[in-house]
Amino acid sequence: MSNTLIDTTQYQAQLDEKIARMQSAFTEFNAPELEVFPSPDKHYRMRAEFRVWHEGDDLYYIMFNQETKQKYRVDQFPQASRIINDLMPLLVDAIKPIESLRRKLFQVDFLSTLSGEVLVSMLYHRQLDAEWEANARQLKQRLNDEGFNLNLIGRARKQKIIIDRDFVVEKLTVNDRTLTYQQVENSFTQPNGKVAEKMLEWAVDCTQDSTGDLLELYCGNGNFSLALADNFERVLATELAKPSVDSAQWNIAANKIDNVQIIRMSAEEFTEAMEGKREFRRLQQAGVDLKSYNCNTIFVDPPRSGMDEGTCRMVQAYDRILYISCNPDTLKDNLDILSETHRISRFALFDQFPYTHHMEAGVLLERK
């Protein structure tokens, strides 16, 4: 099998099944009518990763069937963006005849954008040398001469060679605004660019009539923080991963936004700071006086594991809770606590991952 085919005629049927699943899973919370945000039926993934298979002089991408664990050849991948599909055959054909680029290459990762940039990471089971770097620079030039806007990274054990940048710059349209985001290799970004835009627009709409300040936990690269900044006096956002915090600072500057402050700390640490259990030098160094913030809205976009009970209890202190979830099971667990004090006033399904069982949800909760 040379292509990982998807049957686009089944797109609506798979979405309908998710809608039914989401609605039935949350009936106990008296959620309002589900707002549904579909995905394009193909070319929706901005990222893709492929293993590389060597067979004599031939070289090609493979993936593994998740059920049978059997490998299969992949020449095109309709789930991925058009840029990735256009680049896949050209890249592998350019690597094949060059020994230093192909030897012990075992994986290729692509990160693309709606704005037309692409970053390729080539992973090796050997140390990379000056010859590799010289050939990689020529490869980059050759592909850019073909019309791509491409940068390259070579990775090996304890080694990372960047030709010339290790990030892409994405431009997302939110209503009539264009927001610029630095997306760094191996950092979390929303994989479905078009659905990411819809998520931002929905969050902006939910908070349109806000007053005071916004507190945000798990802010990543500031994806939502920047889009929501116009709806609030100030935004105070926290994130633990240093590369994401660095990108968030870059994004704040790039978008000329002056009312967003990002602090590097975990949600659990921030809960302790809010409750006065601990003082954090990071807050003092950043000149953040928590008492000066007037937050009655909190935004959370936690990892798949959801929020721990302590964070849920802290979040209950806010009149409005905007919650984006990539795991409806842990969202339900968290709602068991949050629904003691709040009711769901908006409920959304974002089809970030078509043709898979994964669902992304959004809920706006308001104090009862």
Side-chain angles (χ1 to χ4, degrees):
M1 179 179 177
S2 64
N3 290 341
T4 305
L5 294 174
I6 46 177
D7 183 357
T8 56
T9 65
Q10 292 301 305
Y11 178 76
Q12 190 59 47
Q14 67 91 35
L15 180 58
D16 289 343
E17 186 269 332
K18 286 181 181 175
I19 292 168
R21 214 159 20 108
M22 187 76 91
Q23 285 171 329
S24 70
F26 290 86
T27 46
E28 69 196 85
F29 299 108
N30 296 319
E33 185 178 348
L34 187 65
E35 302 167 63
V36 178
F37 297 90
S39 168
D41 60 9
K42 60 178 180 291
H43 300 313
Y44 47 83
R45 277 193 69 90
M46 296 293 107
R47 300 197 303 253
E49 300 175 359
F50 304 100
R51 298 304 289 264
V52 174
W53 197 255
H54 298 252
E55 202 168 86
D57 291 336
D58 202 7
L59 192 73
Y60 51 86
Y61 309 104
I62 62 166
M63 295 181 80
F64 290 91
N65 183 307
Q66 288 186 327
E67 287 163 19
T68 65
K69 308 299 182 209
Q70 294 286 324
K71 74 174 192 298
Y72 56 92
R73 179 172 175 152
V74 181
D75 295 321
Q76 290 284 267
F77 190 61
Q79 293 92 319
S81 67
R82 287 188 184 279
I83 297 174
I84 292 175
N85 279 280
D86 290 346
L87 184 56
M88 284 170 70
L90 296 175
L91 179 73
V92 85
D93 285 347
I95 289 171
K96 268 183 213 176
I98 301 170
E99 171 67 12
S100 74
L101 293 181
R102 66 175 286 160
R103 186 161 59 88
K104 303 239 172 157
L105 172 68
F106 72 92
Q107 185 167 317
V108 177
D109 300 346
F110 296 88
L111 171 62
S112 65
T113 64
L114 296 173
S115 60
E117 294 190 12
V118 62
L119 180 65
V120 174
S121 302
M122 299 160 63
L123 283 62
Y124 290 84
H125 284 313
R126 69 177 183 89
Q127 291 300 289
L128 304 177
D129 53 18
E131 184 187 5
W132 180 90
E133 186 168 347
N135 281 318
R137 287 199 176 276
Q138 290 175 354
L139 173 66
K140 174 188 161 164
Q141 188 60 54
R142 176 177 164 183
L143 291 168
N144 285 345
D145 288 346
E146 301 253 7
F148 292 95
N149 182 356
L150 168 130
N151 287 288
L152 277 175
I153 295 173
R155 280 189 172 275
R157 186 175 161 79
K158 296 186 177 175
Q159 193 179 23
K160 177 182 177 182
I161 299 177
I162 301 168
I163 321 265
D164 288 290
R165 275 194 343 198
D166 68 346
F167 64 89
V168 290
V169 176
E170 177 62 289
K171 293 186 185 304
L172 298 179
T173 303
V174 182
N175 299 317
D176 54 359
R177 293 169 69 202
T178 299
L179 291 170
T180 300
Y181 293 97
Q182 181 191 67
Q183 298 182 342
V184 177
E185 183 231 19
N186 277 353
S187 290
F188 174 79
T189 51
Q190 299 285 355
N192 189 322
K194 283 297 178 188
V195 174
E197 290 181 331
K198 293 174 183 176
M199 291 168 71
L200 293 173
E201 288 180 348
W202 181 81
V204 168
D205 189 52
C206 283
T207 55
Q208 204 69 62
D209 56 347
S210 300
T211 55
D213 304 320
L214 174 69
L215 174 62
E216 181 182 355
L217 307 182
Y218 321 96
C219 75
N221 70 350
N223 184 45
F224 284 95
S225 326
L226 304 186
L228 293 172
D230 270 5
N231 287 352
F232 295 90
E233 302 276 329
R234 293 184 294 172
V235 178
L236 178 63
T238 70
E239 169 59 45
L240 187 57
K242 187 174 186 301
S244 294
V245 173
D246 292 342
S247 288
Q249 304 293 11
W250 191 98
N251 296 337
I252 289 168
N255 290 283
K256 299 183 171 61
I257 291 174
D258 61 6
N259 65 334
V260 175
Q261 177 137 30
I262 310 276
I263 309 164
R264 186 176 171 222
M265 57 198 315
S266 71
E268 292 76 13
E269 287 173 330
F270 192 78
T271 300
E272 292 181 343
M274 287 298 289
E275 292 172 350
K277 289 181 180 172
R278 275 178 73 189
E279 287 192 2
F280 288 87
R281 194 176 302 131
R282 268 167 285 171
L283 292 174
Q284 293 164 350
Q285 286 171 340
V288 174
D289 175 13
L290 294 179
K291 294 185 177 67
S292 76
Y293 280 84
N294 171 30
C295 300
N296 51 21
T297 304
I298 188 166
F299 178 87
V300 295
D301 183 4
R304 288 192 63 75
S305 53
M307 295 188 290
D308 66 279
E309 186 180 348
T311 304
C312 280
R313 298 286 175 203
M314 188 270 279
V315 164
Q316 280 180 303
Y318 296 83
D319 291 338
R320 297 199 303 172
I321 305 162
L322 191 56
Y323 190 142
I324 297 285
S325 168
C326 59
N327 184 348
D329 293 335
T330 55
L331 173 61
K332 270 186 76 171
D333 292 343
N334 287 171
L335 285 175
D336 284 337
I337 297 173
L338 300 177
S339 62
E340 294 167 5
T341 48
H342 292 67
R343 61 177 179 82
I344 301 178
S345 57
R346 299 272 300 262
F347 185 32
L349 166 63
F350 304 99
D351 197 15
Q352 269 272 5
F353 306 97
Y355 315 104
T356 74
H357 71 280
H358 292 296
M359 298 190 290
E360 193 102 2
V363 292
L364 174 64
L365 295 135
E366 299 189 82
R367 190 175 298 288
K368 289 179 180 175

